[in-house]
Amino acid sequence: MSTLPTYFLSHGGGPWPFMMDQVGDRYGKLDASLRDIPCQIGVTPKAVLVITAHWEGRDFMLSASPKPPMIYDYGGFPPHTYEVQYPAPGSPELAAQVQQLLEAGGHRAVLDPQRGYDHGTFSAMYPVYPKADVPIVQLSLKYGLDPQTHVEVGRLLAPLRDQGVLIIGSGLSYHNLRAFNAQGAAASHAFDQWLQQTMALPPAQRTAQLLEWERAPAARMAHPREEHLLPLMVVLGAAETDTASMPYHEDAFMGALAVSSFRFG
């Protein structure tokens, strides 16, 4: 199997793939970009490792259940979205392998046999693998949200790409829920333009600039708290010398916001 790319996905809002009758075309472009991923990579991966913005710990945490439950970590959505099931199997074996890779690199990692799929995982993965037939392991962020730490962890994960593991960071390129409308338009566009320019830089310069993301235009308006940006650091670290591309972009997400996803390799 050839080396798989890595992805940073802007995962959309809440359980949107299970509300297509309600949201209409609002998520059509995102849905199409996610459904295209199997065609882009050309193979069925052995498993998917999802770095999720919706889980943080004092150490890096890994979901280790063979049958992860569901976590409905959202509010105000239709009743049926609290009964959604995405029964993709877990992979305790991959979780243990990732634990070994991280600890060999000096980063403590803890297996969590109870952790379920949060909406950043199941909402992003359902369009990609709607049959829920590819095993998934979730990797948390670490408290402190230090960019350098998360890039380093990504570097430790790089060998998995040659072993049939698809590495996905699930977050959002703009995540200010207090300005998730026209009020945030200018900030989202300024920050998104900076992200696109950064992704086009030579690898070493790209990493250096991303580590200094707080210097970007409208950085703290786009990410008052950076947990939805940090998955990008991990997937970049896992494919640090690869060319970046942008498989998904919208200029008017939620009517006004600029959001993007990125692929490395």
Side-chain angles (χ1 to χ4, degrees):
M1 182 176 287
S2 59
T3 302
L4 292 177
T6 70
Y7 288 85
F8 169 73
L9 302 179
S10 284
H11 62 54
W16 65 267
F18 306 94
M19 301 172 51
M20 297 303 276
D21 289 343
Q22 289 88 357
V23 301
D25 293 334
R26 185 186 305 170
Y27 285 98
K29 200 168 181 180
L30 176 58
D31 185 56
S33 73
L34 294 174
R35 291 183 184 278
D36 192 50
I37 288 176
C39 297
Q40 293 176 25
I41 65 176
V43 296
T44 300
K46 180 175 70 176
V48 180
L49 178 64
V50 177
I51 300 91
T52 172
H54 293 268
W55 190 17
E56 299 173 37
R58 287 179 295 178
D59 301 300
F60 286 98
M61 307 289 292
L62 289 149
S63 61
S65 170
K67 295 182 178 180
M70 301 291 287
I71 299 175
Y72 305 113
D73 52 341
Y74 41 75
F77 289 92
H80 77 271
T81 64
Y82 299 90
E83 299 176 1
V84 164
Q85 293 295 313
Y86 186 68
S91 176
E93 299 79 13
L94 175 60
Q97 182 183 3
V98 173
Q99 180 188 40
Q100 291 171 0
L101 287 171
L102 298 193
E103 294 199 335
H107 296 277
R108 188 165 186 266
V110 178
L111 302 181
D112 184 340
Q114 308 299 323
R115 179 72 183 187
Y117 294 141
D118 61 59
H119 83 267
T121 296
F122 68 76
S123 290
M125 296 311 302
Y126 173 72
V128 182
Y129 297 114
K131 294 181 180 179
D133 53 357
V134 177
I136 298 172
V137 169
Q138 295 174 124
L139 172 63
S140 78
L141 305 176
K142 184 177 180 179
Y143 288 157
L145 303 179
D146 175 58
Q148 182 69 50
T149 297
H150 289 79
V151 170
E152 289 174 0
V153 160
R155 291 169 181 155
L156 296 172
L157 298 175
L160 297 174
R161 299 174 59 205
D162 293 317
Q163 300 171 22
V165 177
L166 180 63
I167 301 174
I168 286 178
S170 178
L172 269 172
S173 61
Y174 173 86
H175 195 255
N176 184 342
L177 296 183
R178 293 187 175 183
F180 214 62
N181 48 34
Q183 184 180 352
S188 73
H189 283 260
F191 188 75
D192 196 86
Q193 184 177 21
W194 176 86
L195 269 180
Q196 291 184 46
Q197 292 170 347
T198 298
M199 294 303 105
L201 294 172
Q205 190 177 352
R206 179 178 66 189
T207 298
Q209 187 154 306
L210 191 61
L211 290 174
E212 298 293 329
W213 74 272
E214 287 183 274
R215 299 176 182 268
R220 279 300 179 188
M221 180 66 179
H223 292 280
R225 191 173 186 275
E226 58 266 41
E227 81 285 348
H228 273 68
L229 184 66
L230 264 290
L232 173 60
M233 309 291 179
V234 181
V235 299
L236 175 136
E240 198 165 13
T241 61
D242 288 358
T243 300
S245 57
M246 188 171 61
Y248 165 70
H249 173 75
E250 289 200 48
D251 283 322
F253 180 68
M254 303 300 289
L257 304 173
V259 293
S260 297
S261 296
F262 297 98
R263 165 182 166 160
F264 301 90

